[in-house]
C-alpha cells in the first residue's frame, strides 16, 4: 500500500476563550490538516498545530515543508515501511510538528488498511484516559470558577495551571486560591513555559509549600543548565521537560544532564513512532511521563488519547485533553466527549478521526 500523495489543508477556527500562557497566546486554531492518500484509496488523517513560540513552525512552514520536501520524499513508499519513512524524514532537521502529523496520518492509514484500531496496534492497554484541564492566565477567582465549572460539568479533577508570570505573587496567589477552593482531592500541577528563571521557580516552590502541587513543568529555559540542575536537585516534586524535549535525543540529553526528571510526551510533535521511542526511554530509566497537549483540536486530542491509552505508563496520570472545549467549532464528524472526567479511544479502524467535510469546507483557508 504505497503513498500516492500527501495533502495539506490549512484552516482556521476561532477560540471562544483564548488561552494565554508565558510563551504565547492562542486566539485561533490556525492548524494544518494532513492527509496521506494511498494507492488503494485509504486516507490517513492527522492534525498539525503550529506553535511558533515553542518550535519555530508556522502554518505556512508546515504546509511548505510537507508539500515541497516531505511529500516528494515519501511518495511511492509503502505505509507499512515506517522505518523507511522515518529514515527519510530524519534527513531534515527540526519541523517536529510537520513530521508528527505525517507519522500519525501514516499510522491511521495502516490501521484502516488492517481494519484495526491504532490504540490496539500501539499497545491496547486501556480504553480511556482521565482528562487534565489546562488553566491559562486569568485572575485567581476566574481560574477557580473555571476549575469548579469543569469539575462539575465534565467530572475533571486534575488541573494544570499555567504560570511563569511576574511578579511571582500572581501565580502564587492563584495556587493558594485554587487549592483552597478545590480542596485536597483535586490534583494541581504547574507549567511555566520557561517564564521564570530557575531561582524564581525555587522561590515559587518555597512559597507554595504544603499545597500538594504534584509537578513543575518547564519552569525556566533548559539552556539555563546549571541553575536548572540545581532546581531539579532541590525540587520536592518532579520537574517535567516539555518544549525542551521534543525528540528522543533531547529527552536523553535533558535526563542525563539533570535538566528534568519527568517527561511530557506530545503526539503532536513526536507522532506515534517517536513518542514510542521516548516512552521506552522513560520507562527504561524509571522516569514518569505525562501526556501533554499542544492546545490541540479534537482531531489532535483523539491522537493523544489513542497513544496514551495504549500504554500503561501514559495512562497512569490524567492526560491534557480538554483545550478543544474552548474552540468555537471543530472538524471531527463525531464530537469527542468527556464523560466522568475521561475520554475514550475509538474502536474503529485507524485513529477514528473522521472529518466533517462541510466543516472543513467552512474553515479551510485554501
Ligand atoms: C504546554 O504544555 O506547554 C503551550 C504551548 C505549547 O506548545 O503547548 C502548550 C501547552
Ligand atoms: Mg508545557
Amino acid at each position: 500500500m504505497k503513498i500516492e500523495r500527501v495533502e495539506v489543508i490549512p484552516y482556521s477556527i476561532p477560540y471562544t476563550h483564548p488561552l494565554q500562557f508565558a510563551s504565547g497566546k492562542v486566539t485561533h486554531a490556525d492548524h494544518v490538516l494532513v492527509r496521506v492518500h494511498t494507492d488503494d484509496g485509504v486516507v490517513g488523517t492527522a492534525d498539525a498545530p503550529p506553535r511558533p513560540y515553542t518550535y519555530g513552525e508556522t502554518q505556512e512552514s508546515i504546509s511548505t515543508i510537507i508539500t515541497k520536501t516531505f511529500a516528494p520524499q515519501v511518495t511511492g513508499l509503502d505505509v507499512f515501511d515506517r522505518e523507511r519513512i522515518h529514515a527519510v524524514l530524519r534527513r531534515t532537521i527540526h519541523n517536529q510538528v510537520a513530521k508528527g502529523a505525517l507519522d500519525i496520518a501514516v499510522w491511521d492509514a495502516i490501521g484502516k488498511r488492517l481494519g484495526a484500531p491504532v490504540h490496539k496496534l500501539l499497545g491496547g492497554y486501556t480504553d480511556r484516559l482521565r482528562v487534565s484541564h489546562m488553566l491559562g492566565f486569568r485572575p485567581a477567582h476566574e481560574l477557580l470558577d473555571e476549575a469548579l465549572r469543569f469539575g462539575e460539568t465534565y467530572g475533571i479533577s486534575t488541573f494544570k495551571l499555567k504560570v511563569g508570570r511576574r511578579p511571582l505573587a500572581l501565580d502564587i496567589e492563584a495556587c493558594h486560591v485554587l487549592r483552597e477552593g478545590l480542596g485536597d482531592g483535586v490534583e494541581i500541577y504547574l507549567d511555566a513555559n520557561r517564564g521564570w528563571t530557575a531561582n524564581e521557580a525555587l522561590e515559587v516552590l518555597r512559597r507554595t509549600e504544603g499545597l500538594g502541587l504534584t509537578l513543575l513543568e518547564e519552569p525556566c529555559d533548559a539552556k539555563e543548565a546549571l541553575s536548572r540542575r540545581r532546581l531539579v536537585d532541590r525540587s520536592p516534586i518532579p520537574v517535567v521537560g516539555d518544549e525542551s524535549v521534543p525528540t528522543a535525543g533531547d529527552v536523553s540529553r535533558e535526563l542525563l544532564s539533570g535538566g528534568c526528571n519527568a517527561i511530557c510526551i506530545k503526539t503532536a510533535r513526536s507522532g506515534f513512532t517517536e513518542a514510542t521511542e521516548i516512552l521506552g526511554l522513560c520507562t527504561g530509566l524509571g522516569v514518569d511521563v505525562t501526556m501533554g497537549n499542544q492546545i490541540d483540536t479534537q482531531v489532535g486530542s483523539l491522537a493523544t488519547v489513542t497513544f496514551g491509552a495504549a500504554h500503561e505508563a501514559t495512562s497512569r496520570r490524567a492526560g491534557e485533553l480538554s483545550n478543544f472545549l474552548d474552540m468555537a467549532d471543530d472538524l471531527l464528524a463525531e464530537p469527542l466527549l468527556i464523560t466522568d472526567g475521561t475520554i475514550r479511544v475509538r474502536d474503529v479502524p485507524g485513529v477514528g478521526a473522521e472529518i466533517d467535510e462541510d466543516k472543513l469546507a467552512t474553515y479551510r483557508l485554501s
Side-chain angles (χ1 to χ4, degrees):
M1 186 172 62
K2 297 215 166 80
I3 297 175
E4 203 169 60
R5 68 189 171 95
V6 182
E7 186 185 10
V8 294
I9 308 173
Y11 67 90
S12 182
I13 300 179
Y15 270 77
T16 49
H17 296 89
L19 185 80
Q20 191 166 1
F21 41 97
S23 55
K25 182 177 180 178
V26 172
T27 59
H28 286 75
D30 290 321
H31 295 195
V32 181
L33 193 74
V34 177
R35 281 174 160 166
V36 168
H37 296 258
T38 67
D39 58 0
D40 56 359
V42 171
V43 182
T45 304
D47 195 48
R51 296 288 165 254
Y53 30 77
T54 314
Y55 312 105
E57 292 173 272
T58 63
Q59 193 176 42
E60 291 76 16
S61 82
I62 289 173
S63 303
T64 305
I65 196 86
I66 292 180
T67 310
K68 297 265 169 70
T69 304
F70 296 148
Q73 291 173 338
V74 301
T75 299
L77 296 181
D78 193 312
V79 286
F80 288 99
D81 297 343
R82 288 183 299 103
E83 273 301 304
R84 288 192 64 197
I85 295 171
H86 274 270
V88 165
L89 298 184
R90 267 198 296 270
R91 283 189 219 138
T92 302
I93 63 164
H94 304 312
N95 295 288
Q96 283 303 123
V97 175
K99 291 176 187 172
L102 256 177
D103 179 73
I104 292 170
V106 164
W107 273 98
D108 188 36
I110 290 173
K112 284 178 172 162
R113 182 72 173 78
L114 295 175
V118 172
H119 76 97
K120 292 274 188 195
L121 295 176
L122 287 169
Y125 178 71
T126 183
D127 64 354
R128 70 197 74 184
L129 275 194
R130 279 191 299 121
V131 175
S132 163
H133 180 63
M134 193 152 36
L135 298 163
F137 288 177
R138 301 236 175 118
H141 68 276
E142 285 183 28
L143 291 169
L144 177 58
D145 288 348
E146 185 177 334
L148 289 170
R149 186 163 52 84
F150 274 73
E152 206 159 292
T153 315
Y154 301 105
I156 294 175
S157 59
T158 305
F159 295 93
K160 165 153 124 176
L161 177 64
K162 287 296 196 184
V163 293
R165 291 179 290 183
R166 296 188 176 107
L168 305 182
L170 282 172
D171 292 329
I172 293 166
E173 186 207 358
C175 292
H176 282 271
V177 167
L178 282 176
R179 175 53 76 217
E180 209 163 288
L182 297 175
D184 288 340
V186 167
E187 177 174 359
I188 305 169
Y189 60 104
L190 309 182
D191 182 1
N193 286 111
R194 299 161 283 145
W196 297 320
T197 63
N199 290 330
E200 283 174 323
L202 268 175
E203 185 181 336
V204 172
L205 285 177
R206 271 196 301 275
R207 291 168 62 186
T208 54
E209 215 182 323
L211 294 185
L213 304 173
T214 53
L215 301 167
L216 174 60
E217 185 170 308
E218 218 66 86
C220 60
D221 197 320
K223 293 195 183 93
E224 225 192 292
L226 269 187
S227 300
R228 173 107 165 200
R229 203 181 308 170
R230 181 166 161 269
L231 166 66
V232 172
D233 285 345
R234 295 180 181 200
S235 173
I237 55 177
V239 175
V240 184
D242 174 12
E243 51 265 49
S244 60
V245 292
T247 68
D250 297 314
V251 170
S252 316
R253 185 199 59 230
E254 287 306 312
L255 288 176
L256 292 173
S257 66
C260 62
N261 48 12
I263 296 294
C264 173
I265 297 178
K266 289 182 175 173
T267 51
R269 65 168 177 231
S270 305
F272 294 155
T273 303
E274 189 148 24
T276 304
E277 208 177 312
I278 290 171
L279 178 61
L281 263 173
C282 294
T283 51
L285 292 168
V287 165
D288 276 12
V289 294
T290 62
M291 285 311 299
N293 184 308
Q294 219 151 275
I295 320 172
D296 290 304
T297 58
Q298 295 187 20
V299 180
S301 302
L302 184 57
T304 305
V305 176
T306 298
F307 184 86
H311 308 93
E312 186 187 3
T314 46
S315 51
R316 266 183 221 138
R317 291 180 179 277
E320 293 157 14
L321 301 165
S322 58
N323 284 94
F324 67 82
L325 292 170
D326 289 335
M327 287 172 63
D329 204 350
D330 216 295
L331 297 181
L332 270 195
E334 190 193 321
L336 210 54
L337 297 177
I338 304 178
T339 40
D340 295 332
T342 66
I343 297 182
R344 284 170 171 268
V345 293
R346 293 198 165 166
D347 273 318
V348 295
V351 174
E354 289 316 310
I355 300 300
D356 182 324
E357 296 298 329
D358 291 337
K359 286 186 178 178
L360 183 58
T362 304
Y363 297 112
R364 66 185 295 160
L365 300 176
S366 62

